[in-house]
Every structure is written in structure tokens, then in C-alpha cells.
């Protein structure tokens, strides 16, 4: 019998910090924080931590295609 090892690949995050969101989107922090302030890019706050859903980043970027 063959031993089958399960390979556990790390799951991509579903939410990231604003700094990481800016890096993922390829934009500056100032641009990202401006989008947050205007309400164009939604975020959530848990305790003192602000998080941005990766899907929200994708949606926000898709709105700016052109």
C-alpha cells in the first residue's frame, strides 16, 4: 500500500490590512486611504484593526477598468 500524504497549501487571505491591500492592488497607501475615506472601497473594523475584503479590492479595481 502506498502512503498518501495530504499536502496542505496555505489558503489565501479573505481580508487584509490597508497596507497589504495597497500592495495587492499596486497603488499607493494615500490612494487607498482616500478611497476608504470616500466610501468607494468598503472596509470592516474588528477591534482596533481595519480590514479590507480581498473581494472588495477586486470589485473596486474592476470599477476602474477602462
Amino acid at each position: 500500500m502506498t502512503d498518501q500524504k495530504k499536502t496542505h497549501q496555505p489558503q489565501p487571505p479573505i481580508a487584509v490590512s490597508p497596507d497589504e491591500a495597497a500592495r495587492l492592488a499596486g497603488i499607493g497607501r494615500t490612494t487607498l486611504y482616500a478611497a476608504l475615506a470616500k466610501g468607494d472601497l468598503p472596509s470592516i473594523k474588528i477591534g482596533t484593526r481595519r480590514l479590507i475584503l480581498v473581494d472588495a479590492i477586486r470589485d473596486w479595481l474592476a470599477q476602474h477598468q477602462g
Side-chain angles (χ1 to χ4, degrees):
M1 288 192 175
T2 319
D3 282 343
Q4 292 181 347
K5 292 185 179 179
K6 291 183 181 178
T7 56
H8 292 282
Q9 295 180 350
Q11 296 295 316
I14 60 170
V16 294
S17 68
D19 286 351
E20 181 68 3
R23 188 190 70 76
L24 288 172
I27 59 172
R29 291 177 60 223
T30 303
T31 302
L32 184 115
Y33 279 101
L36 289 172
K38 286 174 43 179
D40 292 344
L41 178 60
S43 66
I44 57 175
K45 192 159 185 185
I46 300 175
T48 60
R49 181 115 190 226
R50 175 140 332 259
L51 296 170
I52 302 166
L53 296 174
V54 173
D55 286 342
I57 299 166
R58 287 188 182 107
D59 292 344
W60 181 71
L61 288 172
Q63 292 172 7
H64 291 83
Q65 282 182 333

